[in-house]
Amino acid sequence: LGTPILTKEGEVIGVLVALHTQEIDNEQSIKQLFHTFTDRISAEMQRFEAENWLRESEERLAKTIESIPHPLIIVDNQTTII
């Protein structure tokens, strides 16, 4: 018995599978349970990827700013120094 793990866009990113030595009773209930699990697994995998992307982006930005030889001032839309 198996269920695909899908992204929000419907892309398959994994499969949740259960193996058993005996026939599985009430297969529909198990499939519904698997669907609940795969939704949660997918959300966690995507959150993990987003956190990694953000951390890597912050590291690249920090390295870029550190490599600038001149002083840097950052201002917002109202020209307030941040």
Side-chain angles (χ1 to χ4, degrees), residues 18-82:
L19 301 174
H20 198 281
T21 57
Q22 298 175 1
E23 184 176 340
I24 297 174
D25 295 328
N26 203 353
E27 188 173 317
Q28 189 59 34
S29 293
I30 301 297
K31 284 183 179 181
Q32 289 174 345
L33 184 62
F34 268 35
H35 182 70
T36 301
F37 285 154
T38 57
D39 285 348
R40 188 71 213 143
I41 291 167
S42 174
E44 288 301 316
M45 289 174 71
Q46 292 180 77
R47 181 188 58 80
F48 182 76
E49 287 180 13
E51 287 175 351
N52 282 340
W53 180 87
L54 180 60
R55 184 177 54 257
E56 290 170 1
S57 177
E58 289 172 339
E59 288 171 0
R60 283 191 304 273
L61 178 60
K63 287 179 183 178
T64 300
I65 290 173
E66 289 171 6
S67 70
I68 296 173
H70 304 288
L72 178 67
I73 297 174
I74 301 174
V75 296
D76 63 15
N77 291 341
Q78 287 78 35
T79 66
T80 303
I81 297 175
I82 299 175

Side-chain angles (χ1 to χ4, degrees), residues 3-7 11-16 38-39 41-43 45:
T3 305
I5 301 171
L6 305 172
T7 64
E11 177 186 354
V12 177
I13 57 174
V15 179
L16 179 63
T38 57
D39 285 348
I41 291 167
S42 174
M45 289 174 71

